[in-house]
Amino acid sequence: MNRNNINAAFKACAVCACLFSAGSLFAQSYNPTVEVTRKYKGTLPETKKPEMEMAVPDSLLKLKLDFDYSVFDTPYQGAYEFKPYRLDMKPQPDAYTGRELYLKGGLGYAFRPEFRAVYSPELKGRFRFSLHGLHDSYFGNFRTVNDIFGAFPKTYSGRDANTVIGADARVDMNKAILTFGLDWKGLSTKDTLLERSYSAVDFKARLRSNNDAESYFFYDGVFEARMGSDKYKDNMGKVGFTEIHLGGEFGPVLNPEQAIIVTVDSDIANYVDLFESHVSTVSLAPQWRFVKDRLKFGLGGRISARAEGNNGAYLIANHQKKLGFIRPDVYISYEAVYDKLFLYSYAKGGYDINSYSSILEKNHFFNAYSGRYSSVAGGSALLDNTDIVLDYAAGLKGNFSSKFTYDLRFGFRDVDGGLFETLYYRNDVMLPGIVYASYKQIFGEVNLGWKSEKWLADASLAFRNNFMDDKGIELFEPAKMSGNISAMYLFHARAKAGVTAEFAAKRTRFFTRAAQELEVPGYLDLGLYGEYQYNRKLSFWAKGFNLLNADIQRNVGYVEGGIGFTVGAIFSL
């Protein structure tokens, strides 16, 4: 079967499955008017009154370049909940307790200082605010990998340090909620290639309706802006940037069973100094959302457009990838067993401009030279658009006895211009870089959770099999199998201990310039955590990580030192 037939078969299967499967678009959703408690109000499932629930769109809060600075949820649930931006979410062992002041710090071997601070005073009235700070860093040896020509020592001294200081606030108005925040973010890294100092200021604001009427106009708008610079030492230049995101959902809620909602998104990015380019995008996604007894569905589509400009002297033009004009935005969900089992399916599309700061969040050692010499003849654009032609999945989710939760899904993706890691050849050295390539993907995801009086556990497993459109592009695909498991046991009111395990399968690729197959090895990152509460205000904690001394390359080419331990204290009021 040729590639055209394979692609047609994939799309046909996805469309058929979408028509005959049931489900909801997101694992979590919210009611735009009131908190949904889902308490049983009748003797039969049929007596439950259907409610229109608005799912938070992926586009909202798009500038999530948090450098994993998240500490915990704020005492109030607002637009910005300090949740880390991770592809695979894991529960934090030190969730916020709702105290007014929270301080946590620790040191250990290797030198990995970490610090958390939050001040959230109890205020009367409708205004709330919090101050927060974070520092995480690693100073020590990195292991040299893929040094085909022996250009580097086996280890070298480097660092990866990030700091966040900021504030956020919330105002509860009569029929609306306003949240806003301001952060300063700093990142300092050093490897054998360059030394950098990144600094940026983020402003965030969100206004959403809070109306309990049966019929009203719903709105949820977001504005986010980031301005900063990424300076390279030793006359390597700098990158200045301004990145803006405007997004929101608007439309009439006709009655408790149906609404017509329009999602609007716009991204603007401008870069100066080391290279000069800009891009702006806009998308419009109208959708009819309907609830009938146990059935929920949304029917709509997304229209997108982009404009770009590039005046760079040495880089390949950025953001040249065209966006698909029309993409699907459809979901369906069926509550098979009241509050216990949901069947769902969705088919959607979209885009990502792959802004400079968003790539840097995923890889702290990414730099403006990462795309100049890639595995593609002539190099690769540093920043380019990713067009998600189709993202389809069908699955089931629910819970048993309110203790065990599950979410299983399987699906298919068609992505034009996805972002991948690669190695490029320069001056007799294979160096880490990025490249864009199109692919089809079959995937499966399993997420499990357990919460009881003594145990808190979480597990996730992902399977991804890619079919590259151009197999000649030399790159590292994501690990076919990856996942993580964490479990915490509460011995009594003052003591708890847990274990974490994160794993990923190996990745291999033959690189022509190296004249051999290079490997990113699979790994198992085993960790331990323990905490003892000395009194109401003071606790002590300790954790160990990479206890198997594995070569962990979360980013190609970078392996931190092996086994490590950190001990510290928590002070709260």
Side-chain angles (χ1 to χ4, degrees):
M1 183 180 292
N2 59 37
R3 177 167 293 276
N4 291 334
N5 292 336
I6 293 176
N7 294 344
F10 275 137
K11 293 181 178 179
C13 292
V15 172
C16 292
C18 185
L19 292 175
F20 292 99
S21 301
S24 70
L25 179 56
F26 300 99
Q28 296 178 342
S29 61
Y30 75 101
N31 186 299
T33 59
V34 295
E35 181 180 359
V36 180
T37 61
R38 302 193 67 85
K39 292 182 179 179
Y40 190 75
K41 298 181 179 180
T43 58
L44 295 174
E46 287 74 16
T47 64
K48 183 171 66 75
K49 180 181 178 180
E51 293 179 321
M52 175 60 60
E53 294 180 344
M54 306 298 179
V56 179
D58 294 339
S59 57
L60 294 184
L61 310 181
K62 198 167 186 178
L63 297 182
K64 298 178 181 176
L65 211 185
D66 293 337
F67 296 130
D68 196 19
Y69 78 93
S70 316
V71 186
F72 41 68
D73 291 345
T74 54
Y76 53 86
Q77 297 298 311
Y80 307 98
E81 299 177 1
F82 304 135
K83 291 184 178 180
Y85 180 73
R86 294 178 177 173
L87 296 179
D88 296 311
M89 300 292 291
K90 294 185 295 184
Q92 298 297 305
D94 55 334
Y96 178 54
T97 60
R99 301 286 181 90
E100 182 173 342
L101 178 65
Y102 179 91
L103 300 173
K104 177 181 179 180
L107 291 172
Y109 172 84
F111 190 57
R112 297 175 183 265
E114 60 179 82
F115 177 75
R116 307 284 189 276
V118 173
Y119 174 63
S120 184
E122 295 184 5
L123 300 177
K124 296 181 179 180
R126 300 185 176 185
F127 177 75
R128 300 288 187 273
F129 82 93
S130 290
L131 305 177
H132 56 264
L134 173 149
H135 178 81
D136 276 322
S137 57
Y138 169 75
F139 297 85
N141 289 331
F142 287 76
R143 302 177 188 178
T144 302
V145 295
N146 294 325
D147 185 14
I148 310 303
F149 306 98
F152 296 125
K154 292 183 179 181
T155 62
Y156 63 90
S157 178
R159 70 172 178 269
D160 180 2
N162 65 87
T163 304
V164 178
I165 301 174
D168 72 313
R170 166 171 164 158
V171 180
D172 292 327
M173 297 178 280
N174 186 24
K175 292 186 177 182
I177 297 175
L178 172 65
T179 53
F180 53 92
L182 185 67
D183 286 334
W184 174 82
K185 302 178 182 179
L187 174 67
S188 176
T189 64
K190 179 183 178 182
D191 60 9
T192 57
L193 303 178
L194 56 80
E195 187 174 358
R196 71 139 46 84
S197 177
Y198 170 98
S199 177
V201 175
D202 284 9
F203 174 76
K204 305 170 285 189
R206 180 176 184 177
L207 180 66
R208 63 183 178 92
S209 59
N210 185 33
N211 199 320
D212 57 1
E214 290 192 355
S215 178
Y216 65 98
F217 186 83
F218 171 76
Y219 57 89
D220 189 354
V222 171
F223 172 78
E224 298 176 292
R226 171 174 295 127
M227 298 181 64
S229 65
D230 190 16
K231 298 180 181 179
Y232 307 146
K233 294 188 177 181
D234 299 325
N235 298 318
M236 294 290 286
K238 71 174 183 177
V239 177
F241 55 87
T242 300
E243 298 169 350
I244 296 174
H245 173 69
L246 294 169
E249 288 194 322
F250 313 90
V253 176
L254 304 177
N255 52 55
E257 288 79 33
Q258 59 181 325
I260 300 175
I261 302 298
V262 177
T263 302
V264 180
D265 286 300
S266 179
D267 291 287
I268 303 171
N270 187 69
Y271 304 97
V272 295
D273 297 323
L274 192 56
F275 62 91
E276 297 183 1
S277 67
H278 68 266
V279 63
S280 58
T281 65
V282 62
S283 71
L284 192 67
Q287 188 179 67
W288 177 41
R289 301 177 182 179
F290 184 80
V291 177
K292 182 65 173 178
D293 296 328
R294 302 185 186 189
L295 182 68
K296 300 179 184 180
F297 71 87
L299 179 63
R302 179 180 294 272
I303 302 173
S304 303
R306 72 98 172 91
E308 51 75 28
N310 185 284
N311 300 310
Y314 71 92
L315 288 173
I316 296 174
N318 291 326
H319 298 295
Q320 297 297 299
K321 176 70 67 177
K322 294 182 179 180
L323 302 179
F325 182 63
I326 299 178
R327 295 290 179 252
D329 190 3
V330 180
Y331 73 89
I332 184 171
S333 168
Y334 180 70
E335 188 176 16
V337 180
Y338 173 70
D339 210 26
K340 299 296 182 183
L341 174 61
F342 298 83
L343 309 177
Y344 66 87
S345 178
Y346 63 78
K348 58 183 178 178
Y351 68 88
D352 191 340
I353 66 170
N354 295 305
S355 65
Y356 183 89
S357 61
S358 68
I359 301 177
L360 186 59
E361 180 228 340
K362 300 170 187 175
N363 183 350
H364 289 185
F365 295 95
F366 163 79
N367 61 76
Y369 300 95
S370 296
R372 187 176 182 184
Y373 303 96
S374 72
S375 60
V376 180
S380 172
L382 179 70
L383 309 174
D384 207 349
N385 307 312
T386 295
D387 182 18
I388 304 172
V389 180
L390 177 65
D391 182 4
Y392 166 77
L396 54 90
K397 64 177 181 178
N399 68 87
F400 294 121
S401 303
S402 300
K403 293 182 178 181
F404 177 72
T405 59
Y406 59 91
D407 186 352
L408 299 82
R409 70 185 68 181
F410 300 90
F412 165 79
R413 295 187 179 107
D414 183 355
V415 179
D416 189 9
L419 178 63
F420 291 88
E421 292 181 298
T422 186
L423 294 170
Y424 63 82
Y425 176 85
R426 184 182 182 189
N427 298 331
D428 293 333
V429 179
M430 298 295 291
L431 300 176
I434 62 172
V435 68
Y436 298 86
S438 300
Y439 63 95
K440 311 292 188 297
Q441 183 185 88
I442 296 176
F443 69 92
E445 297 173 356
V446 178
N447 294 280
L448 306 174
W450 178 271
K451 184 178 181 179
S452 64
E453 183 179 353
K454 291 291 185 179
W455 283 97
L456 177 64
D458 180 86
S460 65
L461 175 66
F463 165 80
R464 299 178 178 91
N465 190 30
N466 288 349
F467 302 88
M468 307 303 299
D469 288 4
D470 185 353
K471 295 184 178 181
I473 301 178
E474 297 174 353
L475 51 80
F476 287 105
E477 299 178 30
K480 288 190 176 183
M481 294 287 293
S482 62
N484 58 74
I485 300 173
S486 61
M488 182 75 68
Y489 181 71
L490 307 179
F491 292 95
H492 50 75
R494 290 191 173 189
K496 58 184 177 181
V499 60
T500 62
E502 179 184 357
F503 69 91
K506 71 176 182 180
R507 299 182 284 167
T508 60
R509 176 71 196 203
F510 183 88
F511 283 82
T512 304
R513 298 303 298 267
Q516 61 180 283
E517 185 176 76
L518 301 182
E519 177 181 289
V520 176
Y523 66 85
L524 173 62
D525 183 4
L526 180 64
L528 297 174
Y529 180 86
E531 182 178 322
Y532 177 75
Q533 185 174 359
Y534 179 72
N535 56 36
R536 191 180 68 87
K537 298 180 179 180
L538 183 64
S539 299
F540 299 96
W541 61 272
K543 67 178 179 180
F545 39 86
N546 195 14
L547 299 181
L548 301 180
N549 197 28
D551 288 340
I552 302 174
Q553 288 188 58
R554 291 185 175 89
N555 297 116
V556 173
Y558 294 94
V559 180
E560 294 183 4
I563 299 174
F565 299 92
T566 301
V567 296
I570 301 173
F571 178 79
S572 60
L573 293 175

